[in-house]
Amino acid sequence: MTSTLGKLQRVDPRSIWKHEAHDFTPWLVDNIDILGEALGMELEVVDREADVGDFSVDILARDLGRDRLVVIENQLEVTDHSHLGQLITYAAGLEASVVIWVSRDFREEHRQALDWLNRGDGVTTEYFGIVIELLQIDDSKPAVNFRLVASPNNWSRQSKRGPGIDEVSGKRSSYQEFFQSLIDELREKHRFTNAKAGQPQNWYSFSSGTRGFTYGMSFAQSGELRAEVYIDLGDRATNEHVFDKLESQKEALEKEFGEPLRWERLDTRRACRVACYTTGSIEDPAEMQEQHRKWAVERLLRFKKVFGPRLPELAKAVHPAS
């Protein structure tokens, strides 16, 4: 029987990506969801080669589920002191909450340095070390594997149970439990998200796969649940332009969606959104929370089915070179 098994082997990343900045970084920008899946985050690219004083960070992203800025630095060689210093400089200059160092191999002293940074008193920035591996079985195509080697002390527990679940009480705990159940179903049954950790907040955002558009679910202050497509491509005029193009298809979109939608330009804010609502509160009894979760899952899946195929063309029309 063993003769039918293939041989697993590692492939040199340089055989696929000859140049770190010109080859690997663009690939990671286009496949940021693979990195997000390895970390249990919903990552969306904000910028590439973003300026930090006289330097530039490889990738600037956002952790959508927590609305946190993420710095990503790549290295197709063994880790070195220079990149460690750059990471700390970028985190400070951009006030990033998450720092991800991707490398082909980590020196033990650099892994220990990330662990030390994560243990700092009053630390608010999370540091992750990720080894990128290319794995191949016999003559198959190489496959990417991101292997976590350094993370905040409680990250493994957070990814399974939700962050600080033992430390959160009252309404915030109820939000966390609700969203943990929601994202678990969306991830495990529908492959809708990479997220693993519910948060003690009244909202959660999910990647649409198209930069500038997110799907979201929240408990609104008006005693309603809201599911939405959120539009924020960087400036008010662009958002309104895209919103108007979508609204011009209102009749067809609502027919395909299966119910009326609210078209909200949000004139006092930069972003716009298209949403649907139902009555509900986090303080409703458990049996109603179950109905709230089912409602949210169904609407988010509908938004992805109906709006998802239209978003790339809208983004391309606004930013042809992106």
Side-chain angles (χ1 to χ4, degrees):
M1 291 294 292
T2 56
S3 62
T4 64
L5 299 178
K7 181 180 179 181
L8 183 66
Q9 56 191 347
R10 286 181 170 81
V11 178
D12 183 355
R14 288 286 187 183
S15 68
I16 302 297
W17 302 291
K18 303 297 184 184
H19 193 281
E20 182 180 295
H22 298 159
D23 299 321
F24 179 68
T25 297
W27 176 87
L28 187 55
V29 166
D30 292 338
N31 294 275
I32 198 69
D33 58 311
I34 301 178
L35 179 60
E37 184 176 5
L39 291 168
M41 296 182 190
E42 283 279 287
L43 295 176
E44 181 178 79
V45 173
V46 174
D47 199 4
R48 180 184 163 196
E49 301 296 335
D51 291 336
V52 185
D54 294 333
F55 304 94
S56 59
V57 61
D58 287 339
I59 301 174
L60 187 63
R62 187 169 296 280
D63 175 6
L64 295 176
R66 299 182 294 172
D67 193 25
R68 292 187 175 187
L69 203 60
V70 179
V71 162
I72 303 173
E73 187 69 5
N74 305 318
Q75 193 174 5
L76 286 183
E77 304 297 337
V78 179
T79 56
D80 56 39
H81 290 351
S82 175
H83 279 77
L84 177 60
Q86 288 171 218
L87 284 170
I88 297 173
T89 300
Y90 299 154
L94 294 167
E95 297 186 355
S97 297
V98 180
V99 174
I100 303 172
W101 190 359
V102 179
S103 178
R104 66 179 296 169
D105 193 19
F106 269 77
R107 296 184 187 275
E108 179 60 19
E109 56 266 36
H110 295 143
R111 186 196 63 76
Q112 291 176 355
L114 294 185
D115 289 343
W116 179 79
L117 288 167
N118 282 320
R119 290 196 304 267
D121 292 338
V123 64
T124 58
T125 301
E126 300 170 344
Y127 290 85
F128 295 87
I130 292 281
V131 168
I132 180 169
E133 300 174 318
L134 287 179
L135 304 178
Q136 184 180 41
I137 300 177
D138 294 335
D139 296 323
S140 67
K141 291 182 179 180
V144 171
N145 180 54
F146 285 116
R147 178 162 55 87
L148 185 66
V149 297
S151 64
N153 296 338
N154 61 349
W155 183 253
S156 176
R157 175 174 62 83
Q158 288 180 3
S159 296
K160 295 176 182 177
R161 302 178 58 195
I165 199 165
D166 296 327
E167 304 164 9
V168 179
S169 60
K171 185 179 288 187
R172 295 178 72 237
S173 177
S174 297
Y175 284 134
Q176 188 172 51
E177 292 175 8
F178 176 87
F179 282 106
Q180 189 65 58
S181 174
L182 176 66
I183 66 176
D184 285 347
E185 178 171 349
L186 288 170
R187 183 186 67 254
E188 295 170 8
K189 293 185 178 180
H190 305 288
R191 301 180 64 85
F192 183 89
T193 179
N194 293 322
K196 293 182 180 178
Q199 304 296 321
Q201 59 197 27
N202 71 333
W203 58 272
Y204 209 98
S205 294
F206 302 93
S207 172
S208 70
T210 303
R211 198 182 313 178
F213 302 89
T214 56
Y215 303 123
M217 191 277 165
S218 62
F219 288 87
Q221 294 181 350
S222 57
E224 294 177 302
L225 275 69
R226 177 175 64 229
E228 66 185 7
V229 176
Y230 196 75
I231 304 167
D232 189 358
L233 292 107
D235 67 86
R236 180 66 189 169
T238 301
N239 295 336
E240 289 182 344
H241 173 71
V242 169
F243 176 85
D244 291 343
K245 289 183 73 67
L246 278 173
E247 193 175 23
S248 69
Q249 307 173 54
K250 176 180 177 180
E251 184 176 349
L253 286 167
E254 291 186 348
K255 182 178 180 180
E256 190 174 347
F257 192 82
E259 65 184 85
L261 297 168
R262 293 193 200 176
W263 299 80
E264 303 176 352
R265 291 174 66 92
L266 303 177
D267 292 329
T268 61
R269 300 169 64 178
R270 186 177 75 180
C272 302
R273 68 172 166 237
V274 184
C276 59
Y277 293 79
T278 190
T279 302
S281 167
I282 196 62
E283 297 175 336
D284 289 337
E287 59 270 19
M288 292 188 67
Q289 295 297 341
E290 176 69 10
Q291 294 303 313
H292 297 341
R293 183 183 55 76
K294 290 180 178 179
W295 181 91
V297 167
E298 184 177 342
R299 269 62 186 183
L300 288 168
L301 292 176
R302 283 194 211 169
F303 273 123
K304 182 178 182 179
K305 179 181 178 181
V306 176
F307 284 77
R310 294 171 166 88
L311 301 184
E313 285 301 316
L314 287 169
K316 187 184 297 185
V318 174
H319 301 300
S322 63

